[in-house]
Amino acid sequence: MIKVIIADDQEIIREGIKYLIEQDPEIEVLGVAGNGSEALELCETIKPDVVLMDIVMPEVSGVESTLLIKEKYPDIKVIILTTFNHDENISKALENGADGYILKDIKPKELILAVKSAASGLRVLHKDAFPSIVKKVSDQRKMSLIQKDELTNLLTPREIEIINLVVDGKDNRDIANSLFISEGTVRNTISLILKKLNLRDRIQLAVYAVKNDIG
């Protein structure tokens, strides 16, 4: 059973989210909070697996609360669930240790999947938020620690082509259609790339690619 806490300053939102995700028999909401401070207190007593965290709340914001929770309980997964798709909010939340950032227009089944994915250790990010992450890294590009020619030797032309499509925010189906290959081939290739570069997921891959000017 995945234990969840919902933090949102609007009761109707909290109850709506609770109702939706508890339609899945593997998820149980053990507490709700009206601000970031209450969320931290619930984490201390309940020790949930996942916290669904709004950003704009009184007293302590979701971004601040994420930092406090992750500092004390790094194993608790925090997903930012908000209506705001601002570059600064996204980057700050992820810097503070958030395990995901999704928008409230997400479909119920996708929300349930996001909770399960985070609980299993995967990072989740709303498709509309992905370009913001890449843009911010691009704007703040640092000197690469690895020479570009070394990366070119490490990666095949097809792998670099797929990386560029990941940076563009394309999902596996889009990439497969663009390159006229199967989705399975795309998944396998991305897994191989992650292993080669010692990265965890496609978000890290996109950030890494922009920082190192892969393309």
Side-chain angles (χ1 to χ4, degrees):
M1 183 68 69
I2 300 173
K3 299 178 293 182
V4 176
I5 285 174
I6 300 170
D8 195 294
D9 61 332
Q10 298 184 50
E11 183 178 359
I12 191 169
I13 299 284
R14 294 196 301 265
E15 294 303 315
I17 295 171
K18 180 177 185 294
Y19 173 78
L20 288 175
I21 64 176
E22 285 192 329
Q23 298 305 301
D24 190 291
E26 297 179 7
I27 298 175
E28 182 180 9
V29 177
L30 296 183
V32 294
N35 58 56
S37 178
E38 291 178 5
L40 177 60
E41 291 175 3
L42 285 174
C43 286
E44 293 172 346
T45 57
I46 294 175
K47 300 294 191 301
D49 299 302
V50 178
V51 178
L52 287 173
M53 181 84 72
D54 189 23
I55 283 185
V56 180
M57 294 185 289
E59 298 183 33
V60 178
S61 73
V63 172
E64 295 171 307
S65 183
T66 296
L67 178 61
L68 296 172
I69 290 172
K70 297 300 285 190
E71 284 181 340
K72 293 191 70 174
Y73 310 104
D75 291 337
I76 293 177
K77 309 301 181 183
V78 179
I79 301 176
I80 301 296
L81 178 60
T82 182
T83 57
F84 298 95
N85 186 20
H86 297 162
D87 293 2
E88 185 176 349
N89 287 332
I90 298 172
S91 59
K92 190 63 178 176
L94 294 176
E95 286 171 11
N96 285 356
D99 300 279
Y101 190 111
I102 54 181
L103 304 182
K104 287 179 179 175
D105 64 357
I106 193 171
K107 296 177 181 178
K109 288 183 179 179
E110 293 174 343
L111 178 57
I112 289 171
L113 179 59
V115 170
K116 289 184 172 183
S117 296
S120 66
L122 299 176
R123 186 177 293 186
V124 294
L125 191 67
H126 194 284
K127 61 181 177 63
D128 292 338
F130 191 90
S132 299
I133 299 295
V134 175
K135 180 179 182 301
K136 184 173 181 63
V137 174
S138 180
D139 291 343
Q140 298 178 349
R141 181 178 297 166
K142 300 177 181 178
M143 291 298 293
S144 172
L145 297 177
I146 302 176
Q147 294 298 317
K148 188 176 180 182
D149 57 352
E150 293 180 16
L151 285 172
T152 302
N153 292 332
L154 181 65
L155 300 167
T156 67
R158 173 48 60 92
E159 288 170 343
I160 292 174
E161 197 171 14
I162 288 177
I163 289 173
N164 287 329
L165 291 170
V166 170
V167 170
D168 289 339
K170 305 294 185 183
D171 60 21
N172 288 352
R173 178 178 295 180
D174 292 333
I175 295 173
N177 290 337
S178 296
L179 301 180
F180 303 102
I181 56 178
S182 69
E183 288 187 53
T185 298
V186 174
R187 283 194 298 270
N188 292 338
T189 303
I190 291 177
S191 295
L192 180 59
I193 294 169
L194 295 177
K195 186 175 181 179
K196 281 185 177 182
L197 301 179
N198 194 28
L199 301 173
R200 188 176 69 178
D201 53 40
R202 62 198 300 136
I203 298 172
Q204 287 188 349
L205 175 59
V207 172
Y208 182 92
V210 173
K211 282 185 175 180
N212 290 281
D213 194 24
I214 297 175

